[in-house]
Amino acid sequence: MSQKQDFDKRHLEPETIRQILRYHRISHGRQTIANVLGISVNSVRLVISRLEVLHGEASRDCSGPSEEKESPVSPAEYAESIIKQSDELIDAMFYPKAPLKTVRADTVIDGRYYPDFKALAAIAVIEKRLSVGQVYKSYLDTCREQSANPLSQSYFYESVKKEVDSINRRNEDYYFIQDFKYGEYVELDFSGDRYRVQTFSMIEDCWIMVFTFPASYYTFATFVSAQSTVESCRGIAEFVRYLGNRMPLFLKCDNFKAAITSHRGSSIVLNPSFQNFMRELGLAIEAAPVRRPQRKSSVEAAVGLIQTRCGKDPDFLNELQTIKTFSEHCRFLQEQVELRINRVPFRKDTQRTREYLFNTYERPRLMPVLKIPEYAEILNAVKVLSNYHVTVNNHLYSVPYTCIGSYVIPRITHDAVIFYLSGIEVARHDRKDGKPDENINFSRSTKPEHCPPDHQAIMRENARFCSAEAVLKIARELDRDPGGLYMFCKRKFEYQKNDPSMSLRNTITSCAAVIRLYEGSSYPGLVSRACLVTLSQSLPRAWNKVTVEQHLRELTSQKSDGESGTGGLSVNYPSGEDAFFNTGKPV
């Protein structure tokens, strides 16, 4: 047996006890005191524990260590009064010859009610997260019910704190001291390790995004392929959805670049896209101070548990190499977190789990979420062109023509492009990114309601004549006798199919012009006959509105001269074997 161990088994000298009390008064730790005085930590602990018992008895009996009947105001002052006593009295106080009377918990002795401090610390303070002040008020109510005198507030506080410290020391999941209420905060952090996740398309190196409630220590985790804004927002949305569309009031996060752009004094500058997502979700963000991880120690500890209990398990790593969708791998990760962390014994004295604490106390206090917003990337403001269109990702999108010359802010989601003017949504389109080498003038999305009235009329007409079938249908319904309008359009499309140099759009435009001529004429029958004359007497290249109008003027002139019928003109109704159609040249 060493000399130090032998010394610890003997009574400490009164002067050594005085030194321990002096160091304890100025808040030195037990290990520090033991190192300075050359004794064991257990010896220091025994002296301090005996001091607490003596102070409690003095508070209860209203008698100090001296002959004067005066209760010390605080444990520190009481310790100072002991230091001033004689060696004989100190030895008698700390090493009494008769065994000390032990007070059983939850009993009334000498008219005072002694609660079960261990149960109060474990259940009321640690599990239910009540303050010691709230517990003491409840204790006073119990004393009144039992017609017993209460213990002093200082003795009660010291006794509860002693039991809380004892539980924390015995618990393997020790965290920094924190004071959070249920339903208020959740902490966010990313794992330092990366994990290879096999999907159907590729192998991705992923981080684990971890959420931990600092009141119940309940933990949620998901994979993210990058610590980016879009992936962070996706992870937050998964977290809220997993809780049944519920969330706390505040999200305490690290200063990761996907969310925090910079600091301006004591305030932070958020990424605009991240800030907009959080604002629409209704979750306030609070960034932990730089290089102060203890401000979110719950999630720091949870990340360590995940990396130890899951990340180093060969079965867990092998499962990540099986081919699954990315969402299935994320669900598997959370299942393992539930099994290995949330449902295992937590704070052994209470026999409770994180899952129990969350479902019992945390979940009822979470806010309901009516809608989880879709992530949107916010771009810089752009000026609306004179054609009331805006260019985004090589594609033109229309906005109301009243916005011409103004600056609008585009927001890009996975499926939509939304434009805002002074914070008000003015246009929304399905997302259609253009190709870099594509002519942007032909890659556009235009809504009729965004156009001026005259442009809307043009668009309605273009919608009428959207295809060859639509043109032929209109011509047949308008002109059934003699059918020259329909025959003109039909032959135009037949000729276009046999001539690669002619485009379908130009043919539709030419036919539409003749149809409008027919609809606007006072003598539609003459327009129909002019179409037949054009087919029989003109080359196919001249089958257009100009030629039809020329023959219409001739027919109208002859009609005004009093002639009837065909006006003396010989009109040959062309057939399917027409020479113009077969060769493109006159016979």
Side-chain angles (χ1 to χ4, degrees):
M1 181 179 295
S2 66
Q3 183 179 359
K4 181 177 179 180
Q5 290 173 330
D6 182 62
F7 174 77
D8 287 343
K9 284 186 173 292
R10 301 195 309 268
H11 289 183
L12 297 179
E13 296 294 333
E15 185 59 33
T16 304
I17 295 175
R18 290 189 182 95
Q19 290 292 91
I20 293 174
L21 297 180
R22 289 190 182 98
Y23 284 119
H24 179 64
R25 285 184 64 250
I26 58 178
S27 302
H28 279 293
R30 297 171 185 176
Q31 184 67 55
T32 302
I33 298 174
N35 292 338
V36 172
L37 299 179
I39 59 178
S40 71
V41 177
N42 187 55
S43 294
V44 177
R45 182 185 64 80
L46 291 175
V47 172
I48 296 176
S49 298
R50 178 61 180 155
L51 172 67
E52 293 172 351
V53 172
L54 291 171
H55 176 257
E57 292 178 349
S59 300
R60 184 175 69 251
D61 300 332
C62 296
S63 61
S66 64
E67 295 181 356
E68 299 178 359
K69 305 296 184 180
E70 183 179 350
S71 177
V73 178
S74 66
E77 293 181 358
Y78 182 74
E80 181 64 28
S81 67
I82 292 179
I83 293 172
K84 298 176 181 179
Q85 305 307 315
S86 64
D87 291 352
E88 293 78 8
L89 184 56
I90 290 177
D91 187 75
M93 293 173 66
F94 282 87
Y95 302 104
K97 295 180 180 179
L100 293 174
K101 179 178 66 174
T102 58
V103 178
R104 292 186 303 170
D106 200 19
T107 57
V108 178
I109 299 177
D110 298 333
R112 295 182 183 275
Y113 174 60
Y114 287 81
D116 188 345
F117 287 109
K118 181 177 291 186
L120 289 178
I123 298 176
V125 178
I126 292 180
E127 182 178 307
K128 294 185 178 180
R129 288 288 183 179
L130 299 177
S131 67
V132 183
Q134 292 173 313
V135 178
Y136 186 69
K137 290 180 180 179
S138 178
Y139 162 75
L140 294 178
D141 294 338
T142 305
C143 290
R144 284 191 289 269
E145 293 174 0
Q146 298 191 10
S147 300
N149 294 324
L151 299 171
S152 68
Q153 185 174 358
S154 59
Y155 178 74
F156 186 93
Y157 275 47
E158 288 294 330
S159 300
V160 172
K161 183 178 183 300
K162 177 181 177 181
E163 294 297 335
V164 170
D165 292 342
S166 176
I167 292 174
N168 283 334
R169 283 194 303 271
R170 292 196 302 272
N171 180 33
E172 63 181 6
D173 297 326
Y174 179 77
Y175 303 100
F176 292 102
I177 296 176
Q178 300 177 100
D179 185 18
F180 292 98
K181 295 181 180 179
Y182 288 112
E184 285 192 357
Y185 274 90
V186 67
E187 296 176 354
L188 165 66
D189 200 5
F190 296 88
S191 66
D193 298 338
R194 300 178 71 176
Y195 301 88
R196 296 177 66 82
V197 177
Q198 175 70 61
T199 62
F200 286 96
S201 59
M202 60 184 297
I203 297 178
E204 296 191 55
D205 287 333
C206 299
W207 286 272
I208 296 179
M209 189 177 189
V210 183
F211 299 83
T212 299
F213 291 90
S216 62
Y217 297 99
Y218 183 81
T219 299
F220 171 83
T222 184
F223 287 116
V224 290
S225 58
Q227 294 187 29
S228 61
T229 306
V230 60
E231 280 290 275
S232 299
C233 293
R234 182 189 61 79
I236 293 173
E238 283 189 14
F239 163 72
V240 174
R241 194 175 293 110
Y242 183 80
L243 299 183
N245 281 20
R246 289 180 172 273
M247 66 180 183
L249 298 175
F250 302 97
L251 172 70
K252 184 180 285 291
C253 66
D254 207 346
N255 289 270
F256 64 108
K257 294 182 179 180
I260 311 300
T261 302
S262 62
H263 286 261
R264 290 179 181 172
S266 60
S267 61
I268 58 174
V269 179
L270 293 177
N271 178 308
S273 300
F274 186 83
Q275 183 180 27
N276 183 76
F277 178 85
M278 299 294 282
R279 183 173 59 248
E280 290 189 6
L281 183 62
L283 181 58
I285 183 171
E286 181 178 316
V290 180
R291 295 181 292 277
R292 296 284 182 86
Q294 65 271 24
R295 295 298 180 88
K296 54 180 183 64
S297 60
S298 298
V299 72
E300 294 279 350
V303 169
L305 290 177
I306 292 174
Q307 293 183 156
T308 302
R309 298 182 183 181
C310 299
K312 294 183 179 180
D313 185 357
D315 294 336
F316 174 83
L317 298 176
N318 291 336
E319 186 65 24
L320 298 183
Q321 297 306 309
T322 59
I323 299 178
K324 296 180 181 179
T325 64
F326 192 78
S327 298
E328 289 174 336
H329 281 298
C330 292
R331 286 194 294 269
F332 168 73
L333 171 61
Q334 180 57 20
E335 290 172 0
Q336 296 302 305
V337 171
E338 293 283 359
L339 181 65
R340 302 174 187 233
I341 297 177
N342 290 335
R343 294 173 185 166
V344 299
F346 177 62
R347 298 206 180 275
K348 298 176 181 178
D349 283 21
T350 66
Q351 295 299 313
R352 297 293 190 267
T353 64
R354 295 171 175 84
E355 184 182 50
Y356 168 82
L357 296 176
F358 176 78
N359 291 329
T360 305
Y361 305 111
E362 193 99 55
R363 186 187 292 275
R365 291 174 172 82
L366 298 178
M367 296 189 307
V369 178
L370 300 179
K371 180 183 178 182
I372 299 177
E374 185 179 13
Y375 170 77
E377 181 184 359
I378 300 179
L379 305 182
N380 294 329
V382 291
K383 187 176 182 179
V384 180
L385 304 177
S386 58
N387 61 357
Y388 50 87
H389 282 72
V390 176
T391 304
V392 176
N393 290 346
N394 290 331
H395 190 86
L396 284 170
Y397 297 94
S398 66
V399 298
Y401 70 95
T402 53
C403 299
I404 293 176
S406 302
Y407 284 84
V408 294
I409 298 178
R411 286 179 50 205
I412 301 178
T413 70
H414 293 292
D415 304 316
V417 178
I418 311 166
F419 297 94
Y420 288 83
L421 177 63
S422 300
I424 301 174
E425 180 180 328
V426 295
R428 179 186 292 260
H429 290 269
D430 292 337
R431 183 174 176 178
K432 298 178 182 178
D433 293 350
K435 298 178 181 179
D437 56 347
E438 186 177 11
N439 189 335
I440 196 170
N441 292 321
F442 296 100
S443 175
R444 66 173 62 195
S445 299
T446 305
K447 290 188 174 182
E449 59 269 23
H450 294 164
C451 306
D454 52 344
H455 289 193
Q456 292 185 27
I458 294 174
M459 293 185 68
R460 285 193 295 270
E461 283 296 300
N462 292 337
R464 284 182 66 200
F465 306 107
C466 59
S467 64
E469 292 75 13
V471 171
L472 292 175
K473 181 179 178 181
I474 294 172
R476 182 181 291 277
E477 291 176 352
L478 289 175
D479 183 24
R480 294 184 177 272
D481 183 24
L485 179 64
Y486 171 75
M487 185 62 65
F488 177 87
C489 295
K490 179 181 177 181
R491 286 301 179 88
K492 282 281 291 185
F493 286 117
E494 289 176 347
Y495 185 77
Q496 180 266 327
K497 289 181 181 179
N498 289 273
D499 189 348
S501 63
M502 294 184 63
S503 68
L504 177 61
R505 171 48 53 189
N506 290 341
T507 304
I508 291 175
T509 302
S510 178
C511 293
V514 176
I515 291 175
R516 293 191 190 96
L517 176 65
Y518 180 91
E519 291 174 332
S521 175
S522 302
Y523 304 101
L526 292 181
V527 176
S528 178
R529 293 180 181 274
C531 290
L532 294 176
V533 173
T534 300
L535 292 175
S536 62
Q537 298 184 6
S538 303
L539 297 174
R541 291 287 183 180
W543 293 351
N544 51 45
K545 177 184 176 182
V546 176
T547 307
V548 172
E549 285 181 327
Q550 179 182 350
H551 291 300
L552 176 61
R553 285 194 294 270
E554 295 175 357
L555 293 175
T556 304
S557 174
Q558 293 181 11
K559 182 177 179 62
S560 62
D561 291 340
E563 298 183 5
S564 61
T566 61
L569 292 174
S570 175
V571 179
N572 298 322
Y573 292 85
S575 64
E577 291 76 20
D578 191 278
F580 291 129
F581 171 71
N582 291 328
T583 64
K585 298 179 180 181
V587 178

